[in-house]
Amino acid sequence: MLHVVNLLPFVLAALMLMIRKKLRFHMGWIVLPLPAALFLYFLTKIPAIQSGDKLVDSVSWMPSLGIDITLVLDGLSLIFVLLITGIGALVVLYSIYYLQKQSEGIRQFYIYLLMFMGAMLGVVLSDNLMVLYGFWELTSISSFLLIAFWHRRERSRYGAMKSMLITVFGGLAMFAGFNLLYVMTGTYSIREIVAQAGTLTDNAMFIPAMLLILLGAFTKSAQFPFHIWLPDAMEAPTPVSAYLHSATMVKAGIYLVARLTPLFAGQSEWFWLVSLTGLFTLIYGSFQAIRQTDLKALLAYSTISQLGLIMSLLGLGSAAAFFAGTEEAIFYSMATTAALFHLINHAVFKGSLFMVVGIIDHETGTRDLRKLGGLMSLMPVTFSVAVIGAFSMAGMPPFSGFLSKEMFFTSVLNIRGFDILSSGFWMQVFPVIAWLASVLTFVYSMILVFKTFGGKLKQDKLDKTPHEAPLGLLLSPVILISLAVVFAIFPDLVSVPLIEPAVASIHTGLLAPGATFGVSIHFWHGWTPEIFMTLGVITVGVLLYKGYGRLRVLDREASGRNVLNRMYDGSVHLLEKGSRRLTDAYMTGSNRHYLLYIFSFMIIALLAVLMREPGISFGMEHYAPLSLYETVVVAIMLLAAFAVPFAKSRVNAILFTGAAGYMVTLLFVLFRAPDLALTQMIIETVSVILFLLCFRYLPKLKKPKEPLRFKLPNLVIALGVGITMTFIALAAMGSSPFEPISEFFLKESYHLAGGKNVVNVILVDFRGFDTLFEIMVLGIASLAIYGLIHLRMEADLPQPQ
Amino acid sequence: MELLMAVAVGILFTIGVYLILSKSLLRIVLGTSLLTHGVHLLLLTMAGLKKGSAPVLGKADTYVDPLPQALILTSIVISFGVTAFYFVLAYRSYQALGTDEIDSIKEDKE
């Protein structure tokens, strides 16, 4: 059943292709029932999951590689599939009113969105790492397509490219990490890998695998310093930003970290990396968010910051693994509960805030904070949604964000007692940074609400007269944001059925069988330190909001100076320019240069092998005695060859080459090769005649006016080749480990083939195929010569004289 | 004898490569021709020199290795075909382009 569920979005996406482009009604209505139905389907699974069951569905795909499409629905996956389908349905509903029916590419929009939905369901349901990776990259690709939906805009293409490069970079690192896990465990199944968790920690590949997988998770979930793609992805249509870049895709990394926590938790590297990266992203994102003037950019940095919060909570929660089996494990696992609760809350309020921004953009024509103001009375419903969303984001009562913020504070305060890694001081840092980040979060949440809706209307800066959005556009954010209120008042609605089984699937093996985590979130805990921290956040936050215009650090105009973005742009530019320069430097277009590379490589490679190889001997014992006659012939041949480079005229050069060739003929005679001598003489004669026939048409051989720096490298390389070949010849003659097979030819030539001239018998009988193709070579060469001389494109080439 | 031949082959290679690296097409063709001679002599030498009479069966006791000779014969014919083709190519390109300087036959960059 899970397979069908996972496949349905893809099937519908394929069917969308067959729908007529122009419909009488909006295409989104066709899409809407699917996520809604899937949401209801997953809701019915809650009781089974709550009682500790898992839905497992497996189809064999590539059994020889250990890759099967195994889908598992457990507590952790359930939260994610509900988010994906639920918010998916609301986003589709919102997009129906947001995107014009006639606007171009609306069909593609829904096809990409359905592809994304299916891929995301696949990511959170897959039990097989390779299948998970496949779906993971599919989310990257569909996200790329959606960001560049308005592909005629330069910024959209830039943002899509950037997010693609960064997330695929991380995805590939993750792929490598997955394969390391496979090498260690012999399986791609997450459940089977987790079952071997304790036995892997000493493996040399364990830490590299962890780092590579974290790289994938951090890039996808926009953790520092890989967060830079997210603000640029805001060029996507707002429903996409709401769905992909706040509620679902950016949580894929969170999901991966949570999913692999049973494997890696208990490693101090994991604890520090996850929690400190998250914490730094939290404070950095919230600081940057204050400085933005674009509403979507503000929300993007806010998303980065909140993702950091969830990530750091997952890191803190992994501390529980150090105390497996004791009461303290439950104590530290509180952080995981907080992470999951905030995950849900964040999806709820961030989704609705994006939709609110979309409405403002839709109704006023701008998202610029400097142009907005005074919309409170004009857009009361939108304002209410924005207030609830922003206050929930800031962690104010009575909204659900308050509860998760309190739990966050509890977790960072608890972690102070975690001294197993003997780093007492650093543990104190957690609450301080967490508190500071909360203050900043409070400030940008207030900016979001009061700079947009408060103050005076600046009608002269707006293109449209703002008014309240139509009902359809308001429906989704209102539904979403009411959840923030409901979850705040009745937190057990989510904590008992959803979070408890999810915590159980993250912290496997911490509980005695049959026990539950007893997750219960209360609205009011009494006068705890967390309450005083929240009061402090409000006080300092209000002061900061009042005075932030005077603080230079928070200067909005200065927010354009983003070092990380410039570093990214610079490195992309540098890579491109560097490769071009490198290629230009060695691909000169000059034949001679390429020949120089080839010959130098040949010399270096061959000489290096000759030097390193100890077995090569230069034995001289088998050499034939030197005789005067042959020596003289060799000397004449060499003299003739020497004369060629120095020849002053063409005829001389040709004749010297011919002379060298005739000396070779003589050598063949002396070395008892009559057939060779015959052939060589004929061919040398024909060649010389050919050369002499042609040379009249060739230019005068100019005395080469090549400068010394041209000649010298040529000479060095040429000498190198000559010396190398001499050494190779000597080395090859010195050692002959095998008997030659020529005895066979000499013995059997007459018996088997009936010929006494062994060379000819070899050519036409024993190795006749060589001859066949040699004839073909000659045939092809003559055809080509004929073609060269007789065929030409009339227009291209000048006529021969 | 083999030592002398090895050095001679080295020298033929040196001159051949030096000519191939020059600018004039004619010199390049002549260079390949010298290089070919070097290769053929190398093949012949590597089988050992003067170990018997010519490989035509008769009354002799030992014969020289016939296999390298068959290989060289094939190679001579092929290199002749290729050299002839090169030569005509050089002739045609000079006719069409008006130069035999290898560096000026570069394709224009733009």
Side-chain angles (χ1 to χ4, degrees):
Chain A
M1 189 61 197
L2 285 176
H3 284 109
V4 179
V5 164
N6 195 5
L7 214 57
L8 274 177
F10 296 111
V11 173
L12 185 58
L15 289 179
M16 294 291 281
L17 281 173
M18 296 169 202
I19 295 171
R20 272 191 307 141
K21 267 186 181 167
K22 299 281 175 207
L23 285 180
R24 302 252 291 284
F25 54 95
H26 198 283
M27 211 169 267
W29 293 113
I30 302 175
V31 180
L32 184 60
L34 179 76
L38 292 183
F39 182 69
L40 292 177
Y41 168 77
F42 284 122
L43 277 183
T44 62
K45 296 294 164 197
I46 289 179
I49 302 294
Q50 202 179 349
S51 62
D53 280 354
K54 279 182 188 174
L55 269 69
V56 183
D57 225 351
S58 191
V59 165
S60 184
W61 185 23
M62 293 186 251
S64 58
L65 298 176
I67 301 175
D68 298 307
I69 308 180
T70 307
L71 302 183
V72 176
L73 184 70
D74 64 353
L76 182 62
S77 305
L78 186 64
I79 291 189
F80 280 90
V81 290
L82 285 175
L83 283 181
I84 293 163
T85 51
I87 297 188
L90 292 175
V91 161
V92 171
L93 177 66
Y94 179 79
S95 71
I96 291 173
Y97 292 95
Y98 188 83
L99 294 172
Q100 299 298 314
K101 183 171 96 160
Q102 302 87 354
S103 75
E104 75 185 294
I106 194 147
R107 193 164 64 160
Q108 278 93 318
F109 178 81
Y110 285 112
I111 290 173
Y112 300 157
L113 200 71
L114 284 168
M115 255 170 66
F116 171 79
M117 194 182 288
M120 198 64 210
L121 284 176
V123 165
V124 298
L125 288 174
S126 296
D127 178 58
N128 192 293
L129 287 175
M130 283 302 113
V131 179
L132 192 153
Y133 172 71
F135 282 123
W136 184 280
E137 293 298 27
L138 196 54
T139 62
S140 293
I141 292 167
S142 46
S143 160
F144 169 80
L145 291 170
L146 284 167
I147 295 171
F149 179 64
W150 288 310
H151 52 84
R152 290 203 174 76
R153 295 186 193 168
E154 159 97 48
R155 295 291 308 167
S156 297
R157 297 196 304 267
Y158 172 79
M161 179 78 126
K162 193 171 179 180
S163 74
M164 184 78 166
L165 283 177
I166 292 176
T167 54
V168 168
F169 160 74
L172 283 174
M174 191 184 81
F175 179 69
F178 285 172
N179 281 311
L180 287 184
L181 281 184
Y182 178 76
V183 171
M184 282 187 279
T185 61
T187 174
Y188 279 124
S189 161
I190 296 176
R191 287 174 303 163
E192 288 171 29
I193 290 174
V194 165
Q196 305 183 25
T199 63
L200 302 175
T201 47
D202 292 333
N203 200 313
M205 286 183 276
F206 188 65
I207 298 295
M210 176 200 291
L211 296 178
L212 287 168
I213 291 173
L214 275 184
L215 202 56
F218 286 171
T219 48
K220 196 77 161 181
S221 279
Q223 299 293 301
F224 188 88
F226 308 110
H227 65 275
I228 49 174
W229 64 269
L230 191 60
D232 283 306
M234 291 301 129
E235 295 300 321
T238 301
V240 172
S241 308
Y243 188 41
L244 273 69
H245 305 128
S246 70
T248 52
M249 188 180 86
V250 287
K251 295 203 168 90
I254 303 273
Y255 167 79
L256 192 71
V257 168
R259 177 54 83 202
L260 293 178
T261 292
L263 177 61
F264 292 117
Q267 301 297 308
S268 52
E269 290 90 349
W270 178 264
F271 174 83
W272 286 118
L273 263 174
V274 176
S275 47
L276 287 184
T277 307
L279 205 65
F280 190 75
T281 310
L282 165 65
I283 185 101
Y284 179 83
S286 55
F287 176 67
Q288 286 292 334
I290 293 178
R291 299 164 44 157
Q292 306 304 315
T293 54
D294 180 73
L295 279 175
K296 272 178 106 174
L298 188 152
L299 285 181
Y301 276 109
S302 143
T303 303
I304 291 167
S305 148
Q306 305 278 317
L307 289 170
L309 192 159
I310 299 171
M311 195 63 95
S312 72
L313 279 172
L314 284 177
L316 298 182
S318 77
F322 291 92
F323 302 97
T326 63
E327 269 305 299
E328 278 157 310
I330 309 294
F331 180 65
Y332 288 116
S333 74
M334 267 295 290
T336 309
T337 313
L340 292 170
F341 190 56
H342 193 67
L343 177 93
I344 299 173
N345 285 338
H346 177 250
V348 165
F349 67 68
K350 193 53 64 67
S352 51
L353 282 177
F354 266 110
M355 292 177 188
V356 162
V357 168
I359 291 173
I360 294 170
D361 193 9
H362 214 262
E363 302 304 329
T364 64
T366 182
R367 300 191 310 244
D368 196 329
L369 274 174
R370 289 164 296 195
K371 294 182 186 168
L372 291 168
L375 298 176
M376 195 187 298
S377 51
L378 292 168
M379 305 170 80
V381 182
T382 316
F383 171 64
S384 318
V385 173
V387 165
I388 299 173
F391 276 72
S392 185
M393 181 157 75
M396 294 301 107
F399 307 112
S400 60
F402 172 67
L403 298 176
S404 45
K405 171 120 337 154
E406 296 294 284
M407 288 161 75
F408 173 51
F409 283 160
T410 312
S411 306
V412 291
L413 289 173
N414 285 348
I415 207 69
R416 288 183 306 167
F418 178 69
D419 52 2
I420 203 163
L421 299 176
S422 62
S423 40
F425 169 72
W426 288 102
M427 295 304 175
Q428 308 299 322
V429 172
F430 280 95
V432 176
I433 295 185
W435 185 81
L436 279 176
S438 300
V439 172
L440 295 174
T441 306
F442 182 86
V443 175
Y444 71 68
S445 304
M446 294 309 110
I447 292 175
L448 176 67
V449 176
F450 293 110
K451 294 283 164 191
T452 314
F453 294 98
K456 279 201 206 99
L457 184 64
K458 301 163 190 163
Q459 185 57 61
D460 52 324
K461 288 184 181 170
L462 298 179
D463 300 334
K464 298 179 181 175
T465 313
H467 54 79
E468 186 56 279
L471 179 69
L473 213 48
L474 288 170
L475 212 52
S476 301
V478 168
I479 294 173
L480 258 186
I481 209 64
S482 50
L483 286 179
V485 183
V486 173
F487 289 166
I489 302 169
F490 307 107
D492 281 353
L493 266 182
V494 282
S495 67
V496 175
L498 287 179
I499 294 178
E500 223 176 79
V503 174
S505 49
I506 294 176
H507 293 295
T508 49
L510 283 192
L511 283 178
T516 58
F517 276 91
V519 173
S520 177
I521 301 165
H522 303 290
F523 192 75
W524 178 249
H525 328 249
W527 291 104
T528 52
E530 293 89 323
I531 286 290
F532 292 106
M533 282 170 83
T534 303
L535 288 175
V537 166
I538 297 175
T539 323
V540 180
V542 169
L543 288 175
L544 207 58
Y545 175 69
K546 290 287 175 204
Y548 87 107
R550 287 177 217 115
L551 292 174
R552 267 206 98 243
V553 196
L554 303 180
D555 190 356
R556 286 184 186 177
E557 302 301 330
S559 64
R561 294 179 301 162
N562 194 327
V563 182
L564 283 165
N565 272 327
R566 278 198 312 193
M567 267 171 63
Y568 165 83
D569 289 337
S571 52
V572 169
H573 180 69
L574 200 72
L575 195 67
E576 206 180 307
K577 219 170 89 179
S579 336
R580 178 173 291 277
R581 274 207 185 155
L582 182 69
T583 312
D584 281 351
Y586 77 90
M587 299 295 282
T588 54
S590 157
N591 244 354
R592 178 178 157 261
H593 286 156
Y594 304 152
L595 285 171
L596 284 179
Y597 307 149
I598 293 169
F599 284 129
S600 353
F601 181 78
M602 181 183 118
I603 295 167
I604 292 167
L606 291 179
L607 281 185
V609 171
L610 278 181
M611 300 265 193
R612 289 168 53 92
E613 201 59 54
I616 290 176
S617 64
F618 297 95
M620 311 228 176
E621 57 271 20
H622 311 293
Y623 287 2
L626 208 63
S627 72
L628 179 70
Y629 196 39
E630 285 133 10
T631 315
V632 170
V633 175
V634 168
I636 296 172
M637 176 187 75
L638 292 181
L639 274 177
F642 254 125
V644 179
F646 298 103
K648 292 240 169 18
S649 75
R650 303 170 286 182
V651 188
N652 285 355
I654 291 165
L655 288 180
F656 284 137
T657 315
Y662 283 119
M663 289 305 120
V664 172
T665 314
L666 264 183
L667 281 175
F668 285 153
V669 171
L670 293 173
F671 293 141
R672 287 155 201 164
D675 299 287
L676 289 188
L678 192 66
T679 319
Q680 180 72 37
M681 193 169 71
I682 293 169
I683 279 182
E684 203 55 44
T685 312
V686 174
S687 301
V688 169
I689 291 172
L690 180 73
F691 285 0
L692 290 176
L693 272 180
C694 274
F695 92 100
R696 261 188 344 113
Y697 301 102
L698 287 179
K700 290 254 182 322
L701 193 65
K702 282 174 276 184
K703 183 159 173 55
K705 286 187 289 270
E706 291 148 351
L708 192 63
R709 66 184 163 78
F710 182 87
K711 278 188 201 165
L712 204 59
N714 292 0
L715 194 61
V716 170
I717 292 291
L719 270 175
V721 173
I723 291 168
T724 311
M725 290 316 292
T726 304
F727 274 124
I728 286 178
L730 291 175
M733 283 185 276
S735 56
S736 156
F738 307 109
E739 279 298 304
I741 58 166
S742 311
E743 286 309 311
F744 169 80
F745 294 126
L746 290 169
K747 222 165 73 186
E748 303 295 340
S749 168
Y750 190 68
H751 288 142
L752 292 178
K756 290 190 172 175
N757 185 334
V758 187
V759 173
N760 286 3
V761 169
I762 291 176
L763 281 175
V764 298
D765 196 311
F766 290 123
R767 298 177 56 89
F769 273 118
D770 286 0
T771 312
L772 177 67
F773 291 108
E774 161 199 342
I775 292 168
M776 280 181 67
V777 168
L778 268 192
I780 292 169
S782 40
L783 275 180
I785 288 170
Y786 177 84
L788 267 180
I789 294 188
H790 284 280
L791 307 178
R792 59 203 59 188
M793 298 287 219
E794 298 296 334
D796 288 355
L797 295 174
Q799 290 297 314
Q801 281 88 33
Chain B
M1 193 66 227
E2 276 91 342
L3 185 66
L4 175 70
M5 287 307 290
V7 173
V9 164
I11 294 172
L12 279 180
F13 264 88
T14 307
I15 299 168
V17 169
Y18 182 77
L19 286 171
I20 285 175
L21 288 172
S22 65
K23 279 180 184 168
S24 148
L25 269 178
L26 179 65
R27 282 149 86 69
I28 291 174
V29 177
L30 295 179
T32 55
S33 176
L34 287 179
L35 204 63
T36 317
H37 292 326
V39 172
H40 294 159
L41 289 180
L42 180 63
L43 276 174
L44 196 68
T45 314
M46 300 244 291
L49 296 171
K50 294 191 174 177
K51 288 205 173 137
S53 53
V56 179
L57 297 178
K59 296 193 180 71
D61 295 333
T62 52
Y63 299 98
V64 294
D65 196 337
L67 190 58
Q69 296 195 9
L71 296 181
I72 295 169
L73 197 64
T74 311
S75 165
I76 289 175
V77 176
I78 289 176
S79 58
F80 167 69
V82 174
T83 310
F85 177 71
Y86 277 171
F87 206 78
V88 175
L89 195 64
Y91 157 71
R92 279 290 293 136
S93 70
Y94 173 65
Q95 217 179 27
L97 305 167
T99 178
D100 87 326
E101 288 247 324
I102 188 85
D103 279 343
S104 35
I105 314 181
K106 265 193 280 187
E107 198 186 349
D108 282 338
K109 284 219 165 178
E110 299 319 314

